[in-house]
C-alpha cells in the first residue's frame, strides 16, 4: 500500500492549437457560430428551466402546478405591453434592464454550455470574470432601484447588495480551489481537467467546494433558504423588489435576465464542477444535439435538488442570511485547507 | 485499483464527517441535533468499514456494526426516550460566540488539528495522513461544542462527537482497540448518554430550563 493519493492530477497540457479544432466551413466562423448557438440555447431554454422548476415544485407539493411553458407566456405578455416610467427616472433606470439581460449572455460566451473545446471568446475571461460580470448586472439593478426613490426598491436593493457582498468571498474561495486543482480559472480548461482526471479529481476538497458553490447559487439567484422566489410581500422581498418599478418590456427583460442567470450559474455548476461529461467534442449537429440532451439531463437533476431544498426548508430571517453564507464560506475555506494539506 | 478507489471514498467520507461535525456545531433544533449525531455515527461506521476493507482487518467490520448498533440506533433512541418532547421541541438561539463566530473558531480549530496531526504521521502512511487530521479536528470541534453552546442537549452532543473523533483516530492509527475494550467503550457511552439525559430532565424539573451554560446565574 505504498501508493498515496496523487496530490494533483496529472494535467495534460491543454495547449489550444487551431489544428485541434474541427475544420468545417472555416475555422473561425464555425467556432463563432457555435459560440452564438450557445447564447441562443441559453436564451431560448432558460425560461423552460424556470417553468420546469415551477412545475416540479407543484408536483412535490401535490398540486398540478403551472405549465412548464408559463414563463414563455409571461414573457410574451410582457413584451406586448406598454411601459410606464417615472418622469424623474434617469437613463440608469432605462439602461438597467438591458444590463441585466446582456450580462448573462456575456457570461455564456465564456463558459462551456454545449462544447468541450474552447470557442471563439473562451479566453476573453475566466470564472472570476464571470462572477464580476454577473455582479455588474446586480450593480446596475441596484442603481436603478435607487433611481426611482421608491422605498421598497431601495430596501430590496440594499438587501441584495448585502447578500452579494457576503456571497463574494465564498465565490472567490471556490474559484481559488478550482484553479489550484486545474491550474487555471478558464472554465473550459477546468472542465477539461476534471474530464481528463476522471474519478481522480473527486477529492474531499472538491466535495466541499461543490457544496459551498451550490449554497452560493441558491443565495445569488434568490432561492429559498435566502429568499422566496414566489413571495410578493414587499417587506420580505429581496431579489424581486429590484424590479418592482418596472413594467412591460423592461420587466420582461429583467425577468428573462433572471431566468438566464439561473440557467448560466447552474450550467457552470454542472458542466464545470460536478459532471464534466457529455459535452460535444465535435461541431456536428448530432453531437451538439446529444450535448443539449445531456445538458438538459444535468439541469433537470439540478432543478430537482433545488426543488427538494425549496420544499423542505423555510426562508431564513434576513439577519440569518449572513450565517448561511458564513457557513458556506467556512465550507469553502475547509476545501482550500484540505487541498493544501494534501488530503 | 480498489485501493485507490477505497482511499478516495475514505477522503470523501472524511470530508463529510468533518462537515457534519460543523453542522452539529451550529444546529439549533434539539431533535435535529440528535438526528445529526446519528448521521455522524453512520459516517463513522462507514469509515471504519472502509478502513477495514482497505487494511484487511475483519475486526473493523465488527467495530462498524457495533457503531451502527449503539451510536446510530441505541443512543439516539435512548436520548429521545429519556428527554421529554418539551425539551426536544426547543431551539437554541444564543451561542456563546454567536453562530458565525463559532464557525470561524471551529475552522481555526480544524486548521490547528491539521497542522499538528500531520506532523505526527509517519511518512508514507497515507491512511493516517488522510484521516488522522480529520479525527483530531472532529475531536476538537466536539470539545468546542461543549464549550460554545449553552443548552444541555448540544453539550451532550459535543461529548459524543468528541468521542466519535477519538474512535476515528483509534481506527486509523491502531486499527481499533481490543474487542473487550471496544465493548466497554460502547456501553460506557450508552450509559453515559442515558445518565446525561436523566440529568437534563432533573435540571429541567428544577429550574425549568436546560440552559446548562447559564447555571451560574441560575444559582442565585
Amino acid at each position: 500500500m505504498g501508493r498515496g493519493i496523487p496530490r494533483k492530477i496529472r494535467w495534460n497540457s491543454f495547449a489550444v492549437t487551431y489544428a485541434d479544432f474541427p475544420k468545417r466551413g472555416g475555422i473561425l466562423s464555425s467556432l463563432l457560430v457555435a459560440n452564438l448557438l450557445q447564447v441562443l440555447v441559453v436564451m431560448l431554454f432558460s425560461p423552460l428551466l424556470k417553468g420546469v422548476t415551477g412545475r416540479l415544485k407543484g408536483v412535490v407539493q401535490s398540486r398540478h402546478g403551472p405549465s412548464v411553458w408559463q414563463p414563455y407566456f409571461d414573457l410574451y405578455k410582457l413584451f406586448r405591453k406598454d411601459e410606464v416610467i417615472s418622469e424623474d427616472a434617469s437613463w440608469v433606470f432605462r439602461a438597467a434592464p438591458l444590463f441585466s439581460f446582456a450580462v448573462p449572455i456575456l457570461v455564456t460566451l465564456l463558459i462551456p454550455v454545449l462544447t468541450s473545446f474552447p470557442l471563439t471568446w473562451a479566453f476573453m475571461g475566466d470564472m472570476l470574470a464571470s462572477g464580476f460580470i454577473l455582479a455588474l448586472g446586480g450593480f446596475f439593478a441596484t442603481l436603478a432601484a435607487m433611481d426611482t426613490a421608491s422605498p421598497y426598491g431601495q430596501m430590496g436593493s440594499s438587501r441584495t447588495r448585502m447578500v452579494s457582498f457576503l456571497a463574494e468571498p465564498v465565490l472567490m474561495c471556490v474559484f481559488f480551489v478550482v484553479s489550484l486543482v486545474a491550474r487555471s480559472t478558464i472554465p473550459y480548461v477546468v472542465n477539461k481537467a476534471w474530464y481528463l482526471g476522471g474519478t481522480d479529481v473527486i477529492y474531499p476538497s472538491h466535495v466541499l467546494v461543490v457544496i459551498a458553490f451550490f449554497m452560493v447559487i441558491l443565495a445569488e439567484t434568490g432561492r429559498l433558504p435566502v429568499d422566496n422566489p414566489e413571495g410578493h410581500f414587499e417587506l420580505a422581498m429581496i431579489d424581486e423588489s429590484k424590479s418592482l418599478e418596472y413594467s412591460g418590456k423592461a420587466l420582461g427583460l429583467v425577468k428573462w435576465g433572471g431566468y438566464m442567470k439561473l440557467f448560466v450559474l447552474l450550467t457552470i455548476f454542472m458542466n464545470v464542477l460536478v459532471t464534466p461529461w457529455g459535452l460535444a467534442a465535435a461541431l456536428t449537429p448530432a453531437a451538439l444535439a446529444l450535448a443539449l440532451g445531456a445538458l438538459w439531463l444535468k439541469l433537470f437533476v439540478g432543478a430537482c435538488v433545488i426543488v427538494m431544498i425549496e420544499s423542505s426548508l423555510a426562508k431564513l430571517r434576513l439577519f440569518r442570511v449572513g450565517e448561511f453564507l458564513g457557513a458556506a464560506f467556512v465550507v469553502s475555506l475547509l476545501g482550500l485547507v484540505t487541498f493544501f494539506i494534501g488530503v | 485499483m480498489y485501493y485507490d478507489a477505497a482511499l478516495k471514498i475514505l477522503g470523501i467520507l472524511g470530508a463529510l464527517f468533518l462537515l457534519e461535525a460543523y453542522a452539529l456545531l451550529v444546529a439549533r433544533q434539539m431533535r435535529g441535533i440528535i438526528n445529526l449525531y446519528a448521521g455522524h455515527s453512520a459516517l463513522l461506521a462507514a469509515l471504519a468499514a472502509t478502513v477495514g476493507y482497505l487494511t484487511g482487518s475483519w475486526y473493523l467490520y465488527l467495530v462498524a456494526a457495533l457503531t451502527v448498533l449503539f451510536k446510530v440506533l441505541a443512543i439516539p433512541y435512548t436520548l429521545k426516550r429519556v428527554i421529554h418532547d418539551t425539551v426536544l421541541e426547543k431551539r437554541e438561539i444564543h451561542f456563546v460566540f454567536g453562530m458565525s463566530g463559532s464557525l470561524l473558531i471551529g475552522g481555526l480549530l480544524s486548521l490547528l488539528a491539521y497542522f499538528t496531526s500531520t506532523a505526527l504521521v509517519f511518512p508514507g502512511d497515507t491512511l493516517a495522513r488522510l484521516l488522522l487530521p480529520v479525527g483530531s479536528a472532529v475531536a476538537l470541534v466536539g470539545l468546542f461544542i461543549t464549550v460554545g453552546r449553552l443548552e444541555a442537549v448540544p453539550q451532550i452532543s459535543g461529548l459524543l462527537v468528541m468521542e466519535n473523533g477519538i474512535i476515528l483516530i483509534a481506527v486509523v492509527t491502531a486499527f481499533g482497540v481490543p474487542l473487550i475494550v471496544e465493548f466497554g467503550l460502547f456501553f460506557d457511552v450508552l450509559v453515559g448518554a442515558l445518565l446525561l439525559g436523566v440529568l437534563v430532565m432533573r435540571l429541567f424539573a428544577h429550574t425549568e430550563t436546560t440552559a446548562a451554560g447559564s447555571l451560574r446565574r441560575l444559582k442565585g
Side-chain angles (χ1 to χ4, degrees):
Chain A
M1 47 197 277
R3 289 189 58 203
I5 290 188
R7 286 196 61 172
K8 273 128 201 160
I9 61 160
R10 191 180 302 122
W11 184 66
N12 303 7
S13 67
F14 189 66
V16 183
T17 57
Y18 279 109
D20 295 339
F21 292 159
K23 293 192 178 64
R24 288 179 81 244
I27 295 161
L28 233 112
S29 65
S30 75
L31 288 179
L32 201 64
V33 167
N35 218 338
L36 294 177
L37 189 73
Q38 291 202 141
V39 173
L40 205 65
V41 163
V42 169
M43 279 173 71
L44 286 183
F45 287 103
S46 55
L48 187 59
L49 180 67
K50 166 85 177 172
V52 166
T53 317
R55 182 68 200 275
L56 270 177
K57 210 169 175 184
V59 170
V60 168
Q61 293 165 355
S62 66
R63 53 191 172 87
H64 187 260
S67 153
V68 288
W69 309 111
Q70 188 60 44
Y72 292 101
F73 300 145
D74 287 350
L75 288 181
Y76 178 68
K77 182 189 76 183
L78 286 172
F79 277 111
R80 280 189 316 159
K81 285 203 167 186
D82 281 341
E83 283 185 65
V84 181
I85 295 179
S86 160
E87 290 175 353
D88 301 318
S90 69
W91 65 272
V92 173
F93 185 78
R94 288 159 210 274
L98 295 175
F99 270 99
S100 57
F101 183 74
V103 152
I105 293 181
L106 262 180
V107 173
T108 310
L109 295 176
L110 308 176
I111 61 167
V113 178
L114 293 177
T115 60
S116 60
F117 50 87
L119 298 172
T120 314
W121 285 298
F123 294 95
M124 192 168 68
D126 58 358
M127 283 161 87
L128 279 174
S130 319
F132 286 129
I133 292 172
L134 283 177
L136 182 73
F139 173 71
F140 268 91
T142 307
L143 277 189
M146 295 202 291
D147 196 38
T148 55
S150 132
Y152 291 130
Q154 292 192 12
M155 200 169 64
S157 61
S158 68
R159 286 174 182 177
T160 322
R161 284 302 87 203
M162 189 190 90
V163 173
S164 297
F165 285 150
L166 294 171
E168 204 88 341
V170 190
L171 214 57
M172 303 275 245
C173 208
V174 166
F175 289 157
F176 287 152
V177 176
V178 167
S179 64
L180 280 169
V181 176
R183 307 279 183 83
S184 167
T185 46
I186 303 282
Y188 282 98
V189 181
V190 176
N191 165 276
K192 196 84 174 177
W194 294 133
Y195 182 77
L196 291 176
T199 52
D200 272 358
V201 289
I202 302 174
Y203 293 107
S205 54
H206 189 191
V207 177
L208 294 172
V209 157
V210 162
I211 292 171
F213 194 49
F214 191 71
M215 287 165 91
V216 171
I217 290 181
L218 288 180
E220 275 280 317
T221 55
R223 290 270 144 192
L224 208 86
V226 175
D227 182 17
N228 188 357
E230 270 127 46
H232 286 285
F233 175 52
E234 287 89 345
L235 285 174
M237 296 200 298
I238 297 181
D239 211 38
E240 287 277 315
S241 56
K242 288 183 300 181
S243 55
L244 217 55
E245 291 285 310
Y246 284 106
S247 55
K249 298 172 188 68
L251 182 59
L253 282 178
V254 170
K255 272 192 185 287
W256 202 350
Y259 301 158
M260 285 198 292
K261 190 177 172 189
L262 177 64
F263 192 95
V264 162
L265 278 175
L266 214 54
T267 307
I268 296 181
F269 181 65
M270 282 302 184
N271 273 352
V272 178
L273 283 179
V274 186
T275 50
W277 308 283
L279 289 169
L283 274 184
T284 56
L288 287 178
L290 207 65
L292 187 61
L295 177 68
W296 261 109
L297 199 67
K298 294 173 197 169
L299 290 181
F300 186 73
V301 172
C304 285
V305 174
I306 286 183
V307 165
M308 244 157 53
I309 289 174
E310 294 218 322
S311 311
S312 55
L313 287 183
K315 182 175 175 296
L316 292 172
R317 277 190 305 123
L318 184 67
F319 293 108
R320 290 198 54 198
V321 170
E323 295 175 355
F324 177 78
L325 286 168
F329 182 65
V330 168
V331 171
S332 62
L333 201 65
L334 273 182
L336 195 66
V337 170
T338 46
F339 179 84
F340 273 118
I341 300 300
V343 176
Chain B
M1 187 210 154
Y2 284 126
Y3 179 75
D4 278 356
L7 267 183
K8 203 135 287 168
I9 291 170
L10 274 183
I12 291 165
L13 284 175
L16 293 178
F17 191 65
L18 187 56
L19 200 64
E20 192 144 355
Y22 278 96
L24 273 159
L25 179 59
V26 291
R28 290 173 184 235
Q29 260 98 1
M30 303 297 158
R31 202 184 293 279
I33 285 173
I34 296 176
N35 291 336
L36 272 175
Y37 170 69
H40 198 247
S41 307
L43 280 173
L44 176 66
L47 278 166
T50 319
V51 172
Y53 172 77
L54 203 60
T55 56
S57 41
W58 57 271
Y59 185 81
L60 286 175
Y61 293 123
L62 204 66
V63 174
L66 283 176
T67 306
V68 170
L69 188 68
F70 278 91
K71 291 184 175 169
V72 182
L73 300 173
I75 291 180
Y77 177 77
T78 317
L79 281 177
K80 279 183 193 170
R81 275 302 290 271
V82 172
I83 301 174
H84 284 199
D85 279 353
T86 40
V87 176
L88 287 181
E89 299 293 323
K90 279 204 216 169
R91 287 194 290 177
E92 178 173 20
I93 308 296
H94 298 293
F95 298 172
V96 176
F97 301 100
M99 187 166 166
S100 315
S102 299
L103 276 173
L104 275 179
I105 294 174
L108 290 179
L109 283 177
S110 73
L111 266 182
L112 179 75
Y114 271 117
F115 281 115
T116 49
S117 55
T118 39
L120 295 176
V121 175
F122 190 70
D125 189 354
T126 325
L127 188 66
R129 181 170 167 74
L130 187 68
L131 287 180
L132 186 64
V134 173
S136 45
V138 168
L140 281 179
V141 169
L143 179 64
F144 181 62
I145 293 175
T146 58
V147 176
R149 312 250 337 211
L150 294 172
E151 283 284 333
V153 177
Q155 288 183 353
I156 297 175
S157 83
L159 276 177
L160 293 171
V161 165
M162 189 157 60
E163 202 264 341
N164 270 358
I166 291 168
I167 292 272
L168 181 65
I169 293 176
V171 164
V172 292
T173 51
F175 309 130
V177 286
L179 195 59
I180 188 79
V181 180
E182 202 86 66
F183 261 110
L185 214 61
F186 278 118
F187 275 111
D188 213 24
V189 174
L190 180 62
V191 174
L194 180 70
L195 277 178
L196 284 171
V198 172
L199 281 177
V200 169
M201 285 323 290
R202 294 286 298 170
L203 187 65
F204 188 65
H206 266 280
T207 59
E208 299 210 339
T209 171
T210 51
S214 27
L215 272 185
R216 193 190 305 254
R217 206 184 55 216
L218 292 173
K219 193 172 62 180

